[in-house]
Amino acid sequence: MVRERIADDIYVFTSQSYAQVTAGAVLTKEGVILIDTLYFPDETKAIKEFLEERQGLKIRYVINTHYHADHTQGSYLFPEAQIVSHAMCRQLLDSVGRSGLTEAQAQNQDLEEVRIILPEIVFKEGVLNLYLGGKTLQLHHMPGHSMDLTGVYVTNNQILFASDNSMPVPTIFDGSYFALVNSMHKMLALEPDTIVQGHGEVILRGEVQSVIQNDLDYLTKIKDEVSAVLQSKQSPDVLDSIDIESCGKSRIPLNGLVSDLHRANLYRLYEELQEETAVPEGGVA
């Protein structure tokens, strides 16, 4: 795990074991707000040791930005903290999350002790403000990568923890193209100085707007490509010929995993555009 200090009292932890997934910690004199946990217990335990033993601080809150296991699986290690999320995240953890953990535990004994912890504080609409030790964190519902996703904006530092709405390649296979585009415009409107991606490197001051615009350009490009396949009534197998570099993204980040994510995006967008153009029963074409 790599630890990076991005402000006097804010750290980012990046996994070396699972797709460079990130977690963050906002330190205050009244305790710590942890933004996500990591997939493997040993890495989250290392975060806990650093914050509680080396920094001498209590973890007061753990924010689950969305229900995916690589962001929530370590929540059980903080029994004294209050877990915070969007209401949809709680519902998904209590259903899909439980079945997913059972399947993962059958395949990996390192996850044997993991258990699902449901958030105690949830919000459904608008913005949830979390105040601690002079820090204000705004929790914004920003569906896209997944429909339950929450972006966390640290107002004092103008740092946005965008979770998986910001990655080396945008991903929509468990979410929505149109929701992600809308959420990216919300991210721009916040005018953050820094963005912490859900996977990969931190986006620093001066790069934020150009990186988000590049992501929007990529999404526009894949929509154009998928729309052309649909309009010409070609087989969806044709999507496999649309490589990531032709859509403006590199195939190198995340040890090449981005190419698989890109392919999944194409198929999910194909489904979403099909659903959008489908004629309702009894409707007129």
Side-chain angles (χ1 to χ4, degrees):
M1 183 187 67
V2 176
R3 183 178 72 245
E4 180 180 3
R5 189 175 185 178
I6 63 170
D8 287 344
D9 45 15
I10 298 179
Y11 288 86
V12 173
F13 307 90
T14 304
S15 172
Q16 296 282 71
S17 303
Y18 192 97
Q20 297 175 33
V21 63
T22 65
V26 179
L27 282 59
T28 81
K29 61 182 181 293
E30 294 180 13
V32 176
I33 302 171
L34 190 62
I35 303 166
D36 284 339
T37 61
L38 299 182
Y39 185 78
F40 290 108
D42 61 338
E43 289 190 314
T44 302
K45 287 175 182 177
I47 294 175
K48 184 176 183 178
E49 185 273 336
F50 172 75
L51 295 171
E52 293 188 342
E53 297 181 25
R54 294 179 58 183
Q55 300 297 316
L57 295 170
K58 179 180 179 182
I59 288 84
R60 296 282 303 278
Y61 298 96
V62 176
I63 298 172
N64 291 160
T65 61
H66 61 301
Y67 79 98
H68 291 171
D70 52 335
H71 293 264
T72 60
Q73 209 148 253
S75 296
Y76 77 99
L77 292 167
F78 304 96
E80 296 181 0
Q82 289 188 291
I83 314 297
V84 188
S85 79
H86 190 268
M88 192 183 304
C89 174
R90 190 184 196 280
Q91 294 168 359
L92 289 166
L93 278 170
D94 201 22
S95 52
V96 183
R98 292 193 188 280
S99 58
L101 176 59
T102 299
E103 183 178 336
Q105 287 173 326
Q107 300 174 9
N108 193 328
Q109 62 181 10
D110 291 340
L111 305 178
E112 184 178 357
E113 68 179 49
V114 177
R115 63 185 185 279
I116 297 291
I117 301 296
L118 297 179
E120 303 166 284
I121 302 173
V122 299
F123 73 108
K124 291 185 177 180
E125 298 177 356
V127 178
L128 173 65
N129 289 302
L130 193 59
Y131 305 100
L132 186 69
K135 289 286 189 181
T136 300
L137 276 65
Q138 295 179 343
L139 279 64
H140 296 258
H141 184 211
M142 291 184 172
H145 168 81
S146 61
M147 298 310 290
D148 63 322
L149 194 139
T150 293
V152 182
Y153 187 52
V154 186
T155 63
N156 311 65
N157 306 85
Q158 293 180 278
I159 294 174
L160 174 63
F161 287 82
S163 190
D164 286 4
N165 277 350
S166 185
M167 293 175 59
V169 61
T171 58
I172 58 169
F173 52 85
D174 189 31
S176 161
Y177 171 93
F178 296 101
L180 181 55
V181 169
N182 186 52
S183 288
M184 283 187 175
H185 284 293
K186 288 182 179 179
M187 289 161 58
L188 283 171
L190 287 172
E191 299 184 343
D193 278 347
T194 302
I195 286 182
V196 179
Q197 300 190 101
H199 296 257
E201 298 178 351
V202 175
I203 302 170
L204 301 175
R205 181 177 299 178
E207 301 175 346
V208 169
Q209 186 166 353
S210 62
V211 169
I212 295 177
Q213 187 58 56
N214 181 261
D215 286 344
L216 287 167
D217 291 345
Y218 164 81
L219 290 170
T220 297
K221 179 63 174 176
I222 64 170
K223 183 173 182 288
D224 290 344
E225 294 283 357
V226 173
S227 295
V229 172
L230 276 166
Q231 289 167 10
S232 61
K233 299 183 179 180
Q234 298 179 76
S235 164
D237 294 341
V238 174
L239 298 174
D240 292 335
S241 66
I242 305 170
D243 68 82
I244 189 170
E245 290 174 333
S246 71
C247 296
K249 289 289 185 180
S250 169
R251 65 175 65 247
I252 296 173
L254 305 182
N255 297 318
L257 177 63
V258 288
S259 291
D260 294 333
L261 298 176
H262 167 70
R263 182 176 182 274
N265 283 341
L266 296 174
Y267 278 87
R268 173 66 189 112
L269 182 53
Y270 185 92
E271 294 174 358
E272 191 170 359
L273 293 177
Q274 270 192 321
E275 293 165 1
E276 185 185 51
T277 58
V279 178
E281 185 176 349
V284 178

